[in-house]
Amino acid sequence: MNQTNTIAPASLQGLVAIVTGGAKGIGLGIARELAQGGCRIALWDFDDAALGEAERTLSSEGADVTTFKVDVSSVDQVEAAVARLLASHARIDILVNNAGIGGDKLVSKMDLAFWSRVIEINLNSQFICSKAVLAQMAQNRFGRIINIGSRAWLGNRGQAAYSASKGAVVSLTRSLALEYARKGITVNAVAPGIVETPLFATLTEEVRQSLHKTVPMERIGQPQDIARAVRFFAEPGSSYVTGQLLYVCGGRSLGSPSV
Ligand SMILES: NC(=O)c1ccc[n+]([C@@H]2O[C@H](COP(=O)([O-])OP(=O)(O)OC[C@H]3O[C@@H](n4cnc5c(N)ncnc54)[C@H](O)[C@@H]3O)[C@@H](O)[C@H]2O)c1
């Protein structure tokens, strides 16, 4: 019989959580939520200025936060960041693969370089970061990996690269979950719908209103909506849930909003 879960921590208190792309938007919301649960946070991002601001903000709220300037699509940079984090914190319990980029372009206008960049950042980075922490998590017989996908994986006109990258995130999540199911490690994914991040704020009022109408709940999601779902998967008590995709999209995954 597999007894691995019997040595799992009792709560999030003191657990070490990496949040990639944590300097702003949804990642910052996730970092805040996990910090409120008692996690020690490592923010990984390649935006130095935003990292500094996020660190100041979270620290002023009482969070234990460390920042690393990392391009998560670089194996060398990710491995170096893992080594530094293990040297200072001795363990890694939670990895939230959140870093990602958009990629709106019709296939007819898209070249291979554009396609590859979206896949590299949105998909390859999740493989790279997961692989870099899994051996240590397996040694501890405890780990939580939460991959941020998107409702767009269902398919969106003008988002072939983005939706393909997020579809592959679902497949990666399911396969990793199976590979590590006997080692105390769960791997799950969250699929946000439209979320109010700095990017959303740059849209015109007209576009924002039209987006509102596509959401059955008729409201745009907040980073905290996504963060709460991530926290559920991160909790040690969620040990019997793995390989799952949770939509957090105000009902948008259900199809027509005219309900
Ligand atoms: N905002 C939405 O409506 C929405 C909807 C569905 C899914 N998502 C997903 O949620 C995640 C976060 O999105 P967001 O809206 O908060 O975006 P955002 O642009 O506000 O934040 C993304 C962060 O990731 C960082 N980043 C990007 N590439 C990186 C790299 N290679 N290495 C390190 N850091 C990198 C950026 O610097 C930024 O701080 C993404 O995976 C995105 O695809 C967002």
Side-chain angles (χ1 to χ4, degrees), residues 6-118:
T6 57
I7 58 164
S11 74
L12 291 176
Q13 195 62 45
L15 300 189
V16 178
I18 299 168
V19 182
T20 74
K24 46 186 181 288
I26 293 173
L28 181 57
I30 292 169
R32 177 175 283 121
E33 181 74 25
L34 293 179
Q36 285 169 358
C39 290
R40 293 180 285 159
I41 306 295
L43 286 185
W44 287 8
D45 207 293
F46 62 10
D47 183 339
D48 227 0
L51 266 181
E53 204 179 316
E55 184 177 23
R56 281 189 293 280
T57 304
L58 291 177
S59 298
S60 73
E61 295 168 8
D64 177 338
V65 55
T66 315
T67 60
F68 295 76
K69 187 181 178 196
V70 190
D71 180 340
V72 288
S73 63
S74 157
V75 175
D76 289 350
Q77 289 187 36
V78 166
E79 287 180 352
V82 166
R84 275 180 58 204
L85 186 57
L86 285 174
S88 59
H89 288 60
R91 57 185 294 137
I92 296 168
D93 302 289
I94 298 162
L95 166 67
V96 185
N97 280 313
N98 164 78
I101 56 171
D104 292 2
K105 210 174 263 257
L106 292 168
V107 169
S108 59
K109 303 208 161 99
M110 190 187 303
D111 60 16
L112 184 60
F114 183 95
W115 167 274
S116 300
R117 183 74 184 139
V118 175

